[in-house]
Amino acid sequence: MCTSQLALLQVLFLLVPKGVWSQPSSSPSGAVPTPSDVGPGSPGGTLQSSSEGSETPWPVPGISTVGPTVLTPSAPGNGTVDLFPVLPICVCDLTPGTCDINCCCDKDCYLLHPRTVFSFCLPGSVRSSSWVCVDNSLIFRSNSPFPSRVFVDSSGIRQFCVHVNDSKLNYFQKLQKVNATHFEALATEFGGGSFTSTFQTQSPPPHYRAGDPILTYFPTWSVISLLRQPAGVGAWGFCAENNPAGFLESKSTTCARFFKNLTSSCTLDPALNAASYYNFTVLKVPKGMTDPQNLKFQVPVTLVSEADPPFLSGNTCQNVVSQVIYEIETNGTFGIQKVSVSFGQTNLTVEPGTSLEQHFIIRFRAFQQSIATSFTHPRSGNPGYLVGKPLLAITGDLNHPMTLLQSRGDGICSVKRHEVQFGVNAVSGCKLRLKKVDCSHLQQETYEALRGKTSPELVAIFGNADPARKSEWTRILSSNCSVSAMHCTSCCVIPVSLEIQVLWAYIGLQSNPQAHVSGARFLYRCQSVKDSQQIIDVPLTTVVTFVDITQKPDPPRGQPRIDWKLPFDFFFPFKVAFSRVDSQKGSASPILILCLLVLGVLKLETR
């Protein structure tokens, strides 16, 4: 029986044309079959293989045992066998009548061996295979009904692989029928994120939190909006209208408006009309947006100053809004209780390139808190200054932050000024336009522009200095320009630059240092202008410099060392021992005892 089987095996090798035993379309782990790979089958093993794309073995009748296959790589020149049989659907054949590159199933390519022409085959253009591999040395006999092959992987290890052909693994589950009944359930189960806004489905919070935008309601149009606080953006400080005011965030903003045609903007631009800043109500709490028409959620805006509408009179636009101040009283989680507004108005001359600088201030205070208490300036530290907080100063009996120059969008000096921030060096400048009256008038205007309308006299030593206690303030050193130093009889000497120098230091514990001001001075730089000039444009500059003069303590010294003190008769035993050494020269015990004693002392010292 064995002889007949071996004869049959030899006949199969003779009858099957060369190249039929091809390698699979996707070899496991990049392994390649070798011509001499013969699996460890039984003497009666049956040869099995599959051509490329074949999903079922070629059975040999009468034989039930299957052994590993001997493989021979296909020859590129073989034109008798199609190694890539045509697939029912060629998914990469996208161009009719043209060969698509690397599409191994494209009939328009007319290639019997696409791998010899293409660098690779696109996914789906050849039949995929699923292999299960183990080390070839573990296989003695294979009885698998699926094709098996022996490969050599990249590490040179022979792998015995079985081609798994389970048609159930090749298809998706049956497509579900979708109808209106369970459409929503399927979309929820398998769907992900959505671009649909969920703002409408979320209930508003019961009360405002710090920083939340303040809701407003326009009864005329039944529209819910936000309380705006325009702020300057860009180098020119253009007004950004959509800047929302934050709950409990008291702050001041400044911006500039430029007009191409002030004649029409005077009465049509709502930013110039005071009525546009209080023709709405404020929602007491955010949940009021669910029923904005309910009066219990509405807080009217009370007008506390004159606010006439703008109108054009000749070449002047009058009653233009230049400042808006909101006073808002809050009561914790009960929300906003009262809102009042006051205005500052000015007149603008109608001319090309007219500009307007507007100031917007919002102040919050607790409900029924006294106005005098709410207007007190906050501390700049307690007690020491905090970096970035205003540097406090006093002029007469008025407590105010020290300020420096600020320019408008066109570079002209603004009435609004920057606050000097503790620990922050700064430089600012602007152009001051002066009309010549007399020298003293010019000097007064330039000094006021550099120092401010309220010229600082004292500076606070600590950030929590009390204006009533003069001991907590130090005088600012200052000296005006010297007229005699210019040696000009027909000139007017005016200051053009101010440098504010502040000396400060840390005091107290190093673990909790407190910054305090040791001293401050004003240094002016002056220049002369001729009396013949009627209109003068003077560029002014302010520089702020903080100098740290902290004296740090001496670094700690080394750890204390042990000062050994021995009794007066400490060496007596050694004298006795050495005397015995002289008498008994052959004994080494005294020397040994001495060494042990010295080693013990050294050990104690090193601890």
Side-chain angles (χ1 to χ4, degrees):
M1 181 65 183
C2 294
T3 306
S4 61
Q5 289 180 356
L6 291 174
L8 178 60
L9 181 62
Q10 295 175 359
V11 170
L12 284 173
F13 269 105
L14 293 174
L15 294 180
V16 177
K18 182 180 180 181
V20 171
W21 315 104
S22 60
Q23 62 185 22
S25 60
S26 62
S27 302
S29 303
V32 294
T34 59
S36 60
D37 288 342
V38 180
S42 65
T46 303
L47 178 66
Q48 272 195 336
S49 181
S50 64
S51 63
E52 186 66 42
S54 174
E55 306 235 340
T56 57
W58 291 355
V60 178
I63 306 300
S64 61
T65 305
V66 180
T69 305
V70 179
L71 300 178
T72 304
S74 59
N78 186 2
T80 61
V81 180
D82 185 5
L83 298 182
F84 300 93
V86 178
L87 299 178
I89 300 176
C90 189
V91 295
C92 57
D93 185 8
L94 305 179
T95 310
T98 305
C99 177
D100 291 274
I101 303 299
N102 297 325
C103 184
C104 295
C105 61
D106 192 350
K107 297 179 181 180
D108 298 323
C109 295
Y110 300 100
L111 296 174
L112 294 178
H113 305 282
R115 290 184 187 272
T116 61
V117 178
F118 299 144
S119 58
F120 64 93
C121 291
L122 291 172
S125 62
V126 294
R127 292 187 184 276
S128 60
S129 300
S130 179
W131 297 86
V132 177
C133 300
V134 295
D135 192 284
N136 188 44
S137 62
L138 302 177
I139 302 299
F140 175 74
R141 176 181 296 173
S142 173
N143 294 322
S144 172
F146 302 107
S148 60
R149 299 185 181 183
V150 177
F151 294 91
V152 178
D153 61 14
S154 58
S155 301
I157 301 176
R158 296 160 61 89
Q159 299 284 335
F160 176 79
C161 302
V162 176
H163 184 197
V164 180
N165 184 17
D166 188 356
S167 61
K168 294 181 180 179
L169 302 177
N170 296 335
Y171 298 95
F172 293 106
Q173 295 183 7
K174 187 177 180 180
L175 185 64
Q176 304 183 56
K177 291 185 179 180
V178 180
N179 52 39
T181 305
H182 60 288
F183 186 97
E184 185 67 25
L186 291 174
T188 304
E189 180 181 357
F190 298 99
S194 174
F195 290 103
T196 305
S197 174
T198 58
F199 178 77
Q200 294 81 0
T201 60
Q202 293 180 351
S203 59
H207 55 82
Y208 289 110
R209 297 174 64 92
D212 287 350
I214 300 173
L215 300 174
T216 59
Y217 177 67
F218 291 83
T220 306
W221 302 285
S222 299
V223 173
I224 295 177
S225 184
L226 301 177
L227 181 63
R228 312 289 183 179
Q229 186 179 12
V233 296
W236 291 84
F238 294 109
C239 289
E241 304 291 346
N242 295 329
N243 182 49
F247 183 70
L248 295 182
E249 293 182 349
S250 299
K251 59 182 179 180
S252 174
T253 59
T254 303
C255 62
R257 301 184 187 275
F258 296 85
F259 305 96
K260 294 182 178 179
N261 186 4
L262 185 58
T263 303
S264 60
S265 300
C266 179
T267 54
L268 299 179
D269 193 342
L272 307 183
N273 192 344
S276 62
Y277 296 97
Y278 64 93
N279 61 344
F280 52 82
T281 60
V282 176
L283 295 185
K284 184 179 298 185
V285 289
K287 67 180 181 181
M289 65 185 303
T290 59
D291 187 14
Q293 296 181 355
N294 193 335
L295 294 180
K296 73 175 185 179
F297 292 126
Q298 298 184 23
V299 179
V301 181
T302 305
L303 182 64
V304 295
S305 67
E306 294 184 2
D308 298 325
F311 64 93
L312 191 64
S313 176
N315 199 34
T316 303
C317 181
Q318 299 185 7
N319 299 333
V320 174
V321 173
S322 61
Q323 180 174 267
V324 182
I325 302 177
Y326 286 106
E327 301 287 346
I328 302 177
E329 297 184 20
T330 62
N331 188 13
T333 57
F334 294 98
I336 297 173
Q337 304 298 315
K338 183 179 179 181
V339 180
S340 60
V341 62
S342 59
F343 297 95
Q345 294 182 311
T346 186
N347 300 330
L348 293 179
T349 302
V350 177
E351 58 184 4
T354 303
S355 63
L356 170 66
E357 187 176 65
Q358 290 183 313
H359 309 285
F360 299 90
I361 302 173
I362 295 183
R363 299 178 183 144
F364 290 87
R365 70 170 183 267
F367 185 55
Q368 295 180 345
Q369 180 183 4
S370 64
I371 298 178
T373 304
S374 64
F375 284 171
T376 57
H377 291 283
R379 300 186 184 100
S380 293
N382 193 17
Y385 275 102
L386 299 178
V387 176
K389 293 297 183 178
L391 183 64
L392 304 180
I394 280 184
T395 302
D397 295 331
L398 178 62
N399 177 22
H400 60 89
M402 193 177 295
T403 60
L404 66 157
L405 294 170
Q406 179 176 339
S407 64
R408 300 188 313 188
D410 55 359
I412 300 297
C413 293
S414 171
V415 178
K416 186 76 174 180
R417 296 174 63 85
H418 289 295
E419 292 183 350
V420 176
Q421 298 176 342
F422 180 82
V424 179
N425 296 335
V427 58
S428 66
C430 61
K431 184 171 58 176
L432 181 64
R433 179 163 294 181
L434 301 172
K435 292 183 178 180
K436 183 65 177 293
V437 179
D438 53 51
C439 184
S440 61
H441 178 74
L442 293 180
Q443 291 176 344
Q444 180 182 355
E445 286 198 18
T446 51
Y447 277 117
E448 287 184 356
L450 290 172
R451 297 179 303 201
K453 294 289 185 181
T454 54
S455 178
E457 300 173 359
L458 304 175
V459 62
I461 298 176
F462 288 99
N464 63 345
D466 186 356
R469 299 180 180 178
K470 299 303 181 182
S471 60
E472 298 181 5
W473 302 77
T474 182
R475 185 162 298 279
I476 300 174
L477 305 178
S478 177
S479 60
N480 294 341
C481 298
S482 176
V483 179
S484 60
M486 293 298 176
H487 303 288
C488 181
T489 57
S490 61
C491 299
C492 182
V493 179
I494 60 175
V496 294
S497 176
L498 169 62
E499 181 179 1
I500 303 175
Q501 294 181 344
V502 181
L503 305 183
W504 68 279
Y506 282 120
I507 61 173
L509 294 174
Q510 293 191 56
S511 59
N512 187 22
Q514 302 296 317
H516 84 296
V517 173
S518 302
R521 69 172 179 176
F522 287 174
L523 294 179
Y524 292 97
R525 186 174 64 86
C526 307
Q527 82 176 35
S528 59
V529 294
K530 295 183 179 180
D531 291 338
S532 59
Q533 295 178 269
Q534 297 299 322
I535 298 179
I536 306 173
D537 288 337
V538 181
L540 302 180
T541 305
T542 305
V543 179
V544 181
T545 305
F546 287 85
V547 181
D548 184 3
I549 59 173
T550 302
Q551 292 184 354
K552 298 182 179 180
D554 295 335
R557 299 178 180 178
Q559 296 296 328
R561 299 179 62 86
I562 300 176
D563 186 12
W564 293 98
K565 292 185 178 180
L566 304 176
F568 69 95
D569 57 348
F570 177 79
F571 292 99
F572 177 76
F574 300 103
K575 293 179 180 180
V576 175
F578 282 115
S579 63
R580 289 182 180 180
V581 172
D582 294 338
S583 61
Q584 301 176 2
K585 296 185 177 178
S587 177
S589 58
I591 300 176
L592 180 60
I593 294 174
L594 178 61
C595 293
L596 292 176
L597 185 59
V598 172
L599 289 175
V601 173
L602 293 176
K603 186 176 180 180
L604 289 174
E605 187 176 2
T606 55
R607 286 183 179 179

